[in-house]
Amino acid sequence: MACAAAARLITKIVDAQAARGSASVVLTGGRNGNGLLAALAGSPARDAIDWAHLDLWWGDERFLPEGDPERNVTQAREALLDAVPLDPARVHAMAPSDGPFGSDVEAAAAAYAAELAAAAGPEDHAQVPSFDVLMLGVGPDTHVASLFPEHPATHESVRTVVGVHGSPKPPPTRISLTFPAIRAAREVWLLAAGEDKAGAVALALSAPGEVQAPASGAYGRSRTLWLLDRAAAAKLPAQLYPAASS
């Protein structure tokens, strides 16, 4: 799944850069997100990307000190980013807990929202850029980014970035994009691999509601793509996916 998703992402970035000169991608962390980045790092096709004209954002971040091994940006650097010639000004990491806002996660979230708004153009559909691809890992509880079932952030309809408190998955304090930001993306890709994700995938695709199953509320303006391995798709009705991908 990671290799197939990496190949798709390379093609999407190259096509966007050919059309507009640059591309904008939102990364996700976790097992599947980092696996995709590692697969991209090992792909001989990675040099087709114009890395200097690629903006990278994050869907969420653990509010931990700079360089902490649990931070998504730290893991992304190890998996891929340190190996490619990115423009540092176009790598938009969320603030750490020892950064300019200290322990004030709400201020850090507001600053990221302001950075997104500054990057948005008049043609964009929200106070964020029109991301070419926004990737999200799907948790066993159907969470995406740091939007957890029944948590207050799933009700947010105005702000594009929020501080998350009391996360059921450690660490308890995080920063996350909200549904308004996610849905501004041209394409949203949801990644899930492994049998531990099968129940979450089946639940999210049964349209239970975004508060109860946040993955069901993540969709793009032009396309929503679920990228699954066989184990993660095991509980889906056969009619939901082509036989060739079963």
Side-chain angles (χ1 to χ4, degrees):
M1 190 275 286
C3 291
R8 283 179 178 270
L9 184 60
I10 291 170
T11 299
K12 182 59 62 175
I13 292 171
V14 170
D15 287 349
Q17 290 179 332
R20 295 185 300 279
S22 64
S24 181
V25 173
V26 179
L27 300 181
T28 184
R31 181 181 72 206
N32 295 322
N34 290 324
L36 184 155
L37 294 182
L40 204 163
S43 170
R46 79 180 199 189
D47 292 336
I49 295 173
D50 180 357
W51 294 99
H53 292 91
L54 175 64
D55 281 281
L56 294 179
W57 304 87
W58 270 265
D60 73 324
E61 186 57 275
R62 299 168 172 98
F63 199 53
L64 296 168
E66 182 69 35
D68 189 290
E70 293 300 309
R71 274 175 60 81
N72 288 333
V73 66
T74 305
Q75 296 173 4
R77 291 189 187 282
E78 293 174 354
L80 172 68
L81 307 192
D82 287 345
V84 292
L86 291 159
D87 178 353
R90 302 183 83 155
V91 177
H92 307 276
M94 293 177 172
S97 61
D98 60 351
F101 310 102
S103 61
D104 189 345
V105 68
E106 299 298 341
Y112 205 68
E115 187 174 356
L116 285 164
E123 73 282 3
D124 293 320
H125 292 242
Q127 292 298 303
V128 299
S130 292
F131 310 114
D132 292 293
V133 177
L134 185 148
M135 295 184 291
L136 296 167
V138 179
D141 61 352
T142 73
H143 83 265
V144 290
S146 284
L147 304 177
F148 294 92
E150 307 290 348
H151 263 233
T154 61
H155 296 275
E156 181 60 53
S157 61
V158 177
R159 291 179 295 170
T160 56
V161 189
V162 294
V164 175
H165 304 272
S167 162
K169 181 179 179 181
T173 307
R174 296 160 172 253
I175 302 171
S176 182
L177 298 190
T178 61
F179 288 128
I182 290 169
R183 294 168 184 166
R186 292 183 174 92
E187 297 195 8
V188 169
W189 296 5
L190 296 108
L191 314 175
E195 62 182 16
D196 61 320
K197 304 295 182 70
V201 169
L203 176 60
L205 287 173
S206 70
E210 63 201 38
V211 174
Q212 294 77 23
S216 69
Y219 48 85
R221 293 200 336 267
S222 63
R223 190 184 195 196
T224 305
L225 181 66
W226 285 76
L227 294 165
L228 312 172
D229 69 356
R230 294 189 182 192
K235 295 185 178 180
L236 290 178
Q239 65 267 25
L240 284 184
Y241 56 88
S245 63
S246 63

